[in-house]
Amino acid sequence: MNSKSIEFQKIKENTKSTEITRNIFRIPTEDMEDIFLVIRGTKYKVVDISQGGVGIGLEDNFVFTTGETVENCELHIFKHLLKNLKIRIIHFRTKASKISHCGIQWVDIDKQSSDQLSKIILKMKDQLLK
């Protein structure tokens, strides 16, 4: 073989990427009425959910800031209630309807809540994929 090898290019070390990469499957919940997150006493519609967090719809992007942590939140999911959740605001994404998608991550979720959420999400995933 008489061909040259492919050369690698060095990646810039100070590159700042604004893209979000997910490694967890999110289940869409926009059509489900009985899934919502309560933050500081305000109810927000959950538009997708995963083991790592949720996405909510926001009409006002100035309610939260990226990186903000909020304690004592509640996730209402069907007939289940997960209390005393700590969340972190990860990102905002504006949709064509001018309602933003706000990505939220669970922070320090306790084992019991995590296990309960895992069971619910697994059941939802199974139903979605049928």
Side-chain angles (χ1 to χ4, degrees):
M1 248 172 118
N2 200 9
S3 64
K4 293 183 179 181
S5 67
I6 298 172
E7 293 192 28
F8 294 97
Q9 294 181 0
K10 185 176 179 182
I11 298 174
K12 295 178 185 177
E13 293 179 20
N14 61 353
T15 301
K16 292 182 180 180
S17 175
T18 58
E19 290 189 31
I20 309 274
T21 303
R22 289 194 185 107
N23 57 2
I24 298 175
F25 181 75
R26 288 191 175 264
I27 298 170
T29 60
E30 289 183 73
D31 298 331
M32 300 176 191
E33 295 297 322
D34 45 359
I35 302 176
F36 59 93
L37 184 66
V38 178
I39 306 171
R40 295 183 189 128
T42 302
K43 182 177 166 179
Y44 296 94
K45 175 79 176 115
V46 172
V47 295
D48 58 45
I49 189 167
S50 74
Q51 187 65 33
V54 295
I56 61 172
L58 287 179
E59 292 182 19
D60 180 3
N61 284 353
F62 300 105
V63 175
F64 306 111
T65 58
T66 302
E68 179 179 3
T69 302
V70 183
E71 296 187 22
N72 299 318
C73 300
E74 296 178 350
L75 176 65
H76 297 255
I77 183 165
F78 305 118
K79 295 180 181 180
H80 304 278
L81 171 62
L82 301 174
K83 290 179 144 186
N84 300 317
L85 297 173
K86 184 176 180 182
I87 63 166
R88 179 175 300 120
I89 308 302
I90 300 300
H91 69 87
F92 296 95
R93 184 178 71 232
T94 304
K95 293 184 174 183
S97 64
K98 295 189 181 181
I99 294 178
S100 289
H101 180 274
C102 177
I104 295 175
Q105 178 183 50
W106 310 125
V107 178
D108 301 329
I109 188 167
D110 65 76
K111 180 158 175 40
Q112 181 180 359
S113 296
S114 180
D115 290 347
Q116 186 177 11
L117 187 59
S118 183
K119 288 177 186 175
I120 295 167
I121 289 173
L122 183 60
K123 186 181 281 188
M124 291 172 71
K125 186 177 177 182
D126 287 345
Q127 291 174 351
L128 180 69
L129 299 176
K130 283 186 179 181

